[in-house]
Amino acid sequence: MQFSKSTSYALHALIHLAHANRGHNIGIKELSASQGVPESYLSKIMSKLRQDGIVRAVTGASGGYELARPADQITFLDVIQVVEGRQHLYECSNLNEQRHQFFFEAEALEADIPDHPDDKECMVKKVMNGAEQQLNQYLQQHTIQSVLDAASFACNDDVNKK
């Protein structure tokens, strides 16, 4: 699995915005220059983030972008879902029960267990969905602010060692 470069650019742009002083808007020129990304490309990413309420665009001579909510309330999962979409990472391609009976849980076993649904579930999809849930939980726990805090801690630790 690999996230797109757009996700990387979005996360780095948000960290740049969060690092800026409050009330200080960052223009698209500065954001794109800080990452070495064409302005037009980054503008499209920032537009998605604006539409989803993660950043706010400020117009005017001193305009630019700023975070629309505190950095500790913007999770990596929020950003990834805006940029990559909210679809599942895995979709089972072998839904034909006759071809792949061993991929499905037996209905007879499920009938004896009250918490199981009556419909069959692809066992491969079940494993992949579990992995996706763990990934989403991990990404939900990490915020833009947590990256800034970790970077600050690392810088302070380096200074103290000298």
Side-chain angles (χ1 to χ4, degrees):
M1 170 181 47
Q2 183 175 357
F3 294 111
S4 68
K5 288 182 181 180
S6 296
T7 293
S8 177
Y9 297 148
L11 289 166
H12 284 93
L14 292 172
I15 291 166
H16 190 96
L17 291 174
H19 189 260
N21 295 329
R22 290 210 179 260
H24 178 71
N25 305 314
I26 307 291
I28 195 68
K29 285 182 188 271
E30 181 179 334
L31 281 174
S32 65
S34 72
Q35 295 185 54
V37 180
E39 288 179 37
S40 60
Y41 186 61
L42 190 58
S43 289
K44 290 176 186 175
I45 296 168
M46 298 306 289
S47 178
K48 284 183 178 182
L49 295 171
R50 184 188 55 75
Q51 290 170 358
D52 216 64
I54 293 177
V55 298
R56 191 173 20 246
V58 180
T59 57
S62 62
Y65 290 97
E66 63 184 8
L67 297 181
R69 55 186 198 244
D72 64 352
Q73 293 178 17
I74 302 171
T75 70
F76 273 52
L77 184 60
D78 295 336
V79 178
I80 291 166
Q81 287 179 335
V82 168
V83 177
E84 302 286 341
R86 289 176 170 83
Q87 71 278 0
H88 287 287
L89 297 177
Y90 178 81
E91 289 300 325
C92 183
S93 61
N94 291 315
L95 296 178
N96 184 335
E97 178 184 350
Q98 298 304 317
R99 287 190 321 185
H100 297 285
Q101 288 182 340
F102 58 92
F103 284 156
F104 293 89
E105 293 180 287
E107 284 181 9
L109 292 175
E110 292 176 352
D112 295 337
I113 304 171
D115 292 339
H116 279 261
D118 289 334
D119 59 327
K120 296 178 182 183
E121 181 178 10
C122 174
M123 295 305 292
V124 173
K125 182 174 171 81
K126 190 173 189 176
V127 170
M128 298 302 280
N129 283 348
E132 183 176 347
Q133 287 173 353
Q134 288 185 3
L135 175 63
N136 286 349
Q137 183 179 17
Y138 182 83
L139 294 169
Q140 188 71 35
Q141 293 171 352
H142 291 81
T143 65
I144 299 302
Q145 186 62 51
S146 68
V147 172
L148 289 175
D149 293 346
S152 176
F153 180 78
C155 287
N156 288 337
D157 195 38
D158 287 345
V159 169
N160 291 334
K161 286 182 182 179
K162 290 181 180 181

